[in-house]
Amino acid sequence: MHLMARMSHVIVVIPSLNAAPSLPDTFASLEPAIACGLISRWVLADGGSGDATVKLARARGFDVVKSLPGRGVQLAAGAARAMESAGEGGWLLFLHADTRLEPGWAKSVKAFMAAHAGGDVAGYFQFALDDDSAPARRLERFVAWRCAAFGLPYGDQGLLIPAQLYERLGGYKLMRLFEDVELVRRIGKRRLKPLPARAITSAERFRSEGYLRRSAANLVLLARYFLGADPQKLARAYGRRKA
């Protein structure tokens, strides 16, 4: 077990689409873990950005994978590239392009990986927003309850998973929406553990749409998904909301 812990390393996979404004902060949050050797490789799976996303990523040393748009498609493409060098002790860290990890997160991840070396356990970060308002704090508490009660973290909380477990589970499905929910349901609540560090995501969409309105719409989409609605149709509905 100690040998496997020493072999452990993290490969970061980030899906992106016109994410240039948020990427610098996301990249900066990873740099301490790159400097100490925890992160061995970083992959950006781009869905056809028309801004400076790819240029920024390459300047930071990212391995850029071009993909069709759609977060599930992009995550699967990025993971396929990451798996090329994951090896026996590799872990994958999936992170959204508008999410940054708080200072000190690498220490928590190292401890988690050492504690679960060789096991079938995945981790997720605590959900946080870059907004000090009361609605933001209420939403953060609701997400913490949802994760504790149902084992249902979303992609904006990151996902840290052993590469071998990811491969055995069959990885991300080529879905445009709820690819994160679909995968964590296959992982199962028993194998999902919270990490004692925050993943801080942009609250821009909540502020622009309204916290109550956006949260309610997201819950409706999730309910429709659990009731068997076609994820492609749900993705189109989600896209119309953003337009």
Side-chain angles (χ1 to χ4, degrees):
M1 180 174 290
H2 294 302
L3 176 60
M4 287 195 70
R6 289 197 298 270
M7 291 169 57
S8 294
H9 59 99
V10 173
I11 302 175
V12 176
V13 178
I14 299 176
S16 65
L17 182 63
N18 297 324
S22 61
L23 278 177
D25 287 342
T26 301
F27 293 166
S29 75
L30 300 176
E31 285 175 351
I34 294 171
C36 75
L38 175 63
I39 295 176
S40 63
R41 189 176 184 183
W42 39 106
V43 178
L44 188 96
D46 189 71
S49 294
D51 63 2
T53 294
V54 170
K55 182 179 179 180
L56 286 170
R58 285 181 172 151
R60 294 294 184 101
F62 270 75
D63 182 0
V64 176
V65 176
K66 297 290 184 69
S67 165
L68 292 173
R71 191 165 274 157
V73 178
Q74 292 169 235
L75 286 166
R81 180 67 61 85
M83 290 295 295
E84 295 172 3
S85 57
E88 185 180 357
W91 291 64
L92 306 181
L93 173 56
F94 297 99
L95 193 66
H96 284 186
D98 62 348
T99 298
R100 69 182 190 274
L101 302 179
E102 70 175 349
W105 70 268
K107 182 178 179 180
S108 298
V109 165
K110 282 183 179 180
F112 184 90
M113 291 164 61
H116 299 289
D120 283 351
V121 174
Y124 61 90
F125 293 90
Q126 299 169 30
F127 174 75
L129 291 165
D130 61 352
D131 184 348
D132 293 328
S133 70
R137 298 291 85 81
R138 285 195 292 269
L139 180 57
E140 290 168 359
R141 290 193 293 270
F142 170 76
V143 171
W145 171 82
R146 184 192 71 212
C147 292
F150 302 109
L152 202 61
Y154 286 178
D156 51 14
Q157 294 174 255
L159 180 67
L160 178 70
I161 183 170
Q164 292 185 337
L165 174 58
Y166 176 85
E167 187 172 38
R168 285 200 305 275
L169 290 172
Y172 281 102
K173 301 303 181 186
L174 306 183
M175 300 165 60
R176 293 179 56 204
L177 193 66
F178 292 126
E179 79 294 328
D180 47 359
V181 172
E182 197 278 336
L183 179 56
V184 298
R185 291 179 77 189
R186 278 185 283 135
I187 294 171
K189 182 181 177 182
R190 181 181 59 82
R191 295 190 292 192
L192 280 166
K193 307 293 181 184
L195 289 156
R198 297 184 305 159
I200 304 167
T201 294
S202 170
E204 179 182 354
R205 290 177 180 169
F206 286 100
R207 285 191 291 259
S208 64
E209 294 183 29
Y211 275 88
L212 183 59
R213 179 182 178 187
R214 181 174 175 86
S215 298
N218 287 345
L219 284 174
V220 168
L221 288 174
L222 181 64
R224 290 176 61 191
Y225 170 69
F226 280 142
L227 290 171
D230 182 356
Q232 292 293 101
K233 293 181 179 178
L234 296 179
R236 287 194 291 270
Y238 182 77
R240 286 194 296 271
R241 272 176 45 212
K242 295 194 295 181

